[in-house]
Amino acid sequence: YAPSILSIMVIGIVFTPMLRADGSINKFFGAIGLGSLSQAWLTNPSIVIFTIAFVAIWQSAGFQMSIYLAGLQSIPKDYYEAATIDGAGGWKSFRYITVPLLLPAININVMLTLIGGLKVFSEVFVLTGGGPGNASQVVGTIILRSFGEGSWGLGTAINTLLFIAVTIISIPLLLFMRRKEVSE
């Protein structure tokens, strides 16, 4: 859970030297005989966005897991005992008890991840600033650049479009996922 409470600035300070061409990740790959996997993780335009996504996933994984853990702890043990008595094995218990009763936690995680992915900014800004070139530009960095150049109307318009996109995607998805949920 610890990475989820760290500031993105701290994560950027830690990961930037690790992800350089001569950084500890590439040295680790070389030490275990996988030197061919070494990359310039933050300066290679074809993989920089995936590198940033990995860092963001690493940071939020603990928070997501805590939501799943809370969902798992809320499932009554009686259901599993009844399934065992009825002859259900581990897979059937998982499929017919755990997954349906864990759907609220899954839905919350999907929504939070979707919204966070659409409005990502901090990770890109701290790790690359939108570079190399424009390879890791996202809507948030475009908005920042618009405001920084004095194009306040353009920045506000893009921000409004981002809000509309998040709303248009999130609300139907939320309604669809809510219909799939099972109440105890």
Side-chain angles (χ1 to χ4, degrees), residues 25 53 65 71 86-87 89-90 127 154 159-160:
I25 291 177
M65 282 188 258
D86 289 343
L127 291 170
L154 177 63
N159 221 354
T160 303

Side-chain angles (χ1 to χ4, degrees), residues 142-159:
I142 294 169
I143 292 168
L144 176 71
R145 187 172 25 149
S146 297
F147 280 113
E149 293 171 353
S151 301
W152 298 334
L154 177 63
T156 303
I158 296 170
N159 221 354

Side-chain angles (χ1 to χ4, degrees), residues 23-83:
S24 59
I25 291 177
N26 287 337
K27 288 179 184 174
F28 173 74
F29 284 148
I32 63 170
L34 298 173
S36 61
L37 295 178
S38 296
Q39 298 281 332
W41 300 100
L42 294 176
T43 57
N44 183 343
S46 62
I47 63 168
V48 67
I49 201 74
F50 300 108
T51 304
I52 293 169
F54 170 78
V55 172
I57 290 167
W58 175 82
Q59 182 188 18
S60 65
F63 179 71
Q64 306 288 331
M65 282 188 258
S66 66
I67 292 173
Y68 286 126
L69 181 62
L72 286 170
Q73 290 176 342
S74 71
I75 299 174
K77 303 291 184 236
D78 300 344
Y79 292 163
Y80 295 108
E81 292 171 7

Side-chain angles (χ1 to χ4, degrees), residues 6 8-19 24 58 126-127:
L6 292 176
I8 189 60
M9 295 299 291
V10 171
I11 291 171
I13 290 168
V14 170
F15 270 94
T16 301
M18 289 172 56
L19 294 168
S24 59
W58 175 82
V126 169
L127 291 170

